Amino acid sequence: MRAEYGPAGVASGEVRTWHIVRGDTTVAMCGRELDPGAETRDASHWTEHPDLHCHSCGALFLREAPYLPSEHE
Ligand SMILES: [Zn+2]
């Protein structure tokens, strides 16, 4: 997953939306191009910030991996 930032950009440190990306690409699953300098995280963190999720990426991602580690309980 890779962060999308607000108008102030990466330097602001304020993540606006988390997208799912494959490997080292900067294009999210929903098609949005993200800043190469944006923060990245392992996809296992996807469920930590539900308010900041890209809904398009979430739908595509969950269709591929319906069982996230945090959903096993
Ligand atoms: Zn997205």
Side-chain angles (χ1 to χ4, degrees):
M1 51 196 278
R2 185 179 288 269
E4 176 190 352
Y5 296 84
V10 175
S12 71
E14 293 185 9
V15 176
R16 184 165 68 182
T17 309
W18 284 103
H19 296 268
I20 297 288
V21 297
R22 296 179 182 283
D24 293 328
T25 181
T26 56
V27 180
M29 288 181 77
C30 65
R32 180 175 288 275
E33 287 201 36
L34 302 173
D35 193 307
E39 182 182 353
T40 58
R41 288 187 186 173
D42 188 271
S44 62
H45 294 281
W46 180 246
T47 56
E48 292 179 6
H49 303 285
D51 293 347
L52 298 179
H53 288 173
C54 169
H55 290 265
S56 299
C57 282
L60 292 166
F61 179 59
L62 290 174
R63 197 163 60 195
E64 283 193 359
Y67 301 108
L68 293 173
S70 59
E71 291 182 339
H72 274 301
E73 289 294 306

